Amino acid sequence: MISVEEALKIVLANQHETTVSEVPLLSSVGRILAENIYADRDFPPFNRVAMDGLAFCFDEVDLQKIAIENIQFAGEAQKTLQDISKGIEVMTGAILPLGCDTVLRYEDFNIQQDGKVKFACISIPNEEIKKGQNVHLQGSDRKAEEVLLQKGIKISPAEIAVMATVGKSIVKVQNTPKIALISTGDELVDIEETPLAYQIRTSNAYMLAAALQQIGVAATTFHLIDEEKVLYQKLKEIIESYDILLLSGGVSAGKKDFVPAILTDLGLEKLFHKVAQKPGKPMWFGKTKAGKIIFALPGNPVSTFLCFCKYVLPTLNSEIKHEEVILDKEIIFKPDLTYFVPVKTYFEAGKMMAKPFLGSGSADFANLTDCDGFVELPAEKQVFKAGEIFGFVRFR
Ligand code: AMP
Ligand code: MG
């Protein structure tokens, strides 16, 4: 049986290779960028006036009273200061007039008329005026040709703005894989039905579909009965049409847990079966020769969800970061397994604490509604003290 670390490593090393599409800029939000984005010019592309006011040459003017000779609006070609002892009124977003290096805000002077000449009479102390102020220098944010966005990031409105400014009207994005969610089990009925005394409604496929929906990934759901021939035939068909299969149930030691054997019969390569963890020990992972990926997760809802969050999500969502929490209550767990305990997080003195909700085990998914994630207690230890820091698998 392999460790959690090894299992995750194998999963991450065997991801589905996504194809690339070109889409209009706005359709790329929420998708994964499939190309680097470069600055087509400096950021900003010219010395940009950052405040409405007066531009002048700091070393050449009388900082009490400056004659105004012109006005430079945003969107106008650059003007030139004719008399270096004078100034030019400027608007935010305008190119700084040639000969000027400093901008004073309108709030810091009054305009007075003296015959035909307008003057700026400065109302703040000279020491408060700094050479170069309120000028956003060309290339001070980014230089032309610099990589602005790296391939592989998730596109959000900030990235859309950057791509708009460099003129990317068409963007290369990764295609989202086609995912099939397959629940198995003769005891399961769909949610519109009233279960008989010995049946339950299926919840796993809905839980996983919802988790995928939250990251913008659509999936098709199937339900298969615990019947070898049916499983073989249906899985064969589904594998043809989908890139990633997420199965739940039928991977443990029960007499009708046919899934691992059927997957092998279908010619899939088993990359692991069983992970030293609780819950989710019977998890199976493999791939087809064509690179399609199969996650067969145990059916107990807490196990299904933990395995999904720990192993499946990181392959679909590049934004998942390693997080840690401080356990707020001692837990003793002797088996040589990594123990994932549902926890509710909260802040105390600026630190993220985790309150365990042991519940009644891997079938107690109602327990998850009180929690935000799982604290990951490593297999090597048996006593996990209050105040110790551990990994955190977030689901909320
Ligand atoms: P299995 O992994 O097939 O042995 O199932 C383990 C437990 O999880 C059983 O109690 C099943 O009834 C339950 N289970 C399996 N699949 C689902 C599902 N789709 N929704 C809710 N519970 C399930
Ligand atoms: Mg089952």
Side-chain angles (χ1 to χ4, degrees):
M1 195 158 48
I2 63 168
S3 69
V4 166
E5 292 71 26
E6 287 168 282
L8 185 60
K9 221 158 128 190
I10 293 171
V11 166
L12 294 176
N14 289 279
Q15 297 192 44
H16 173 253
E17 299 243 343
T18 47
T19 51
V20 169
S21 289
E22 293 197 316
V23 297
L25 177 62
L26 263 188
S27 307
S28 74
V29 69
R31 308 279 299 267
I32 304 298
L33 185 64
E35 59 178 324
N36 286 339
I37 301 292
Y38 298 90
D40 61 332
R41 38 204 309 233
D42 287 337
F43 271 43
F46 48 83
N47 291 334
R48 189 185 70 92
V49 171
M51 286 283 176
D52 299 317
L54 185 75
F56 50 82
C57 178
F58 184 85
D59 292 329
E60 303 294 339
V61 295
D62 165 10
L63 282 179
Q64 304 296 318
K65 194 173 174 190
I66 305 174
I68 301 173
E69 66 169 36
N70 205 342
I71 184 159
Q72 169 91 59
F73 288 102
E76 280 183 341
Q78 189 180 36
K79 293 181 176 165
T80 302
L81 188 66
Q82 303 298 325
D83 179 340
I84 56 167
S85 69
K86 293 185 178 171
I88 294 180
E89 276 182 86
V90 287
M91 305 303 137
T92 305
I95 185 168
L96 187 72
L98 202 64
C100 301
D101 57 13
T102 302
V103 172
L104 195 63
R105 308 178 304 164
Y106 276 126
E107 293 90 318
D108 299 334
F109 62 90
N110 309 302
I111 296 184
Q112 287 175 11
Q113 192 85 26
D114 192 349
K116 278 196 174 163
V117 187
K118 277 203 300 184
F119 286 94
C121 297
I122 296 170
S123 53
I124 56 166
N126 285 2
E127 316 80 76
E128 289 182 18
I129 306 170
K130 302 276 175 288
K131 184 174 178 173
Q133 69 177 29
N134 299 326
V135 177
H136 189 185
L137 287 177
Q138 177 172 350
S140 59
D141 297 347
R142 298 285 188 277
K143 295 273 183 257
E145 313 290 316
E146 229 181 271
V147 177
L148 300 174
L149 304 175
Q150 295 276 1
K151 188 172 165 168
I153 55 131
K154 188 169 183 178
I155 300 168
S156 80
E159 286 75 34
I160 294 284
V162 166
M163 290 193 278
T165 208
V166 301
K168 280 300 286 185
S169 55
I170 302 289
V171 183
K172 285 199 177 85
V173 292
Q174 283 180 10
N175 288 325
T176 37
K178 282 184 76 183
I179 300 187
L181 291 179
I182 307 150
S183 52
T184 68
D186 291 341
E187 72 281 30
L188 303 169
V189 298
D190 209 346
I191 58 173
E192 297 87 5
E193 292 175 46
T194 305
L196 298 172
Y198 50 87
Q199 295 175 322
I200 57 166
R201 293 191 186 92
T202 177
S203 55
N204 286 348
Y206 287 93
M207 172 170 63
L208 299 184
L212 291 172
Q213 202 178 311
Q214 278 191 327
I215 56 162
V217 177
T220 310
T221 52
F222 300 87
H223 182 74
L224 305 182
I225 54 167
D226 295 322
E227 163 66 53
E228 280 171 291
K229 282 201 183 97
V230 173
L231 281 167
Y232 183 91
Q233 195 49 43
K234 293 282 177 201
L235 286 175
K236 192 170 178 214
E237 288 166 26
I238 296 170
I239 289 172
E240 290 296 313
S241 321
Y242 291 86
D243 303 318
I244 299 177
L245 269 55
L246 292 181
L247 285 106
S248 89
V251 289
S252 314
K255 289 266 156 65
K256 280 194 157 196
D257 287 338
F258 299 127
V259 170
I262 301 276
L263 293 173
T264 308
D265 289 352
L266 284 165
L268 271 69
E269 184 189 351
K270 179 181 86 180
L271 294 165
F272 63 78
H273 184 199
K274 297 204 173 105
V275 184
Q277 62 183 8
K278 181 189 163 96
K281 192 161 88 178
M283 179 179 167
W284 190 102
F285 177 71
K287 64 178 180 183
T288 68
K289 287 193 183 70
K292 299 186 174 204
I293 302 297
I294 291 86
F295 293 91
L297 314 177
N300 261 317
V302 180
S303 316
T304 313
F305 199 39
L306 178 268
C307 291
F308 177 83
C309 297
K310 177 75 189 173
Y311 303 102
V312 184
L313 261 189
T315 70
L316 299 173
N317 185 358
S318 58
E319 289 184 318
I320 291 183
K321 307 261 182 303
H322 176 75
E323 289 187 79
E324 289 181 330
V325 288
I326 302 173
L327 194 63
D328 83 348
K329 192 171 165 227
E330 182 174 278
I331 293 177
I332 295 174
F333 183 73
K334 303 218 165 119
D336 200 8
L337 304 170
T338 298
Y339 188 27
F340 292 93
V341 181
V343 290
K344 171 86 187 158
T345 54
Y346 61 95
F347 277 95
E348 195 173 85
K351 303 233 165 75
M352 189 152 72
M353 311 295 293
K355 177 183 164 65
F357 278 69
L358 291 170
S360 44
S362 59
D364 184 3
F365 58 102
N367 195 25
L368 298 179
T369 62
D370 291 321
C371 300
D372 311 311
F374 298 91
V375 66
E376 181 170 341
L377 306 177
E380 314 78 71
K381 287 178 62 148
Q382 301 195 332
V383 179
F384 306 91
K385 297 208 182 76
E388 287 185 315
I389 300 172
F390 298 104
F392 179 56
V393 181
R394 178 183 292 285
F395 60 75
R396 194 193 299 281

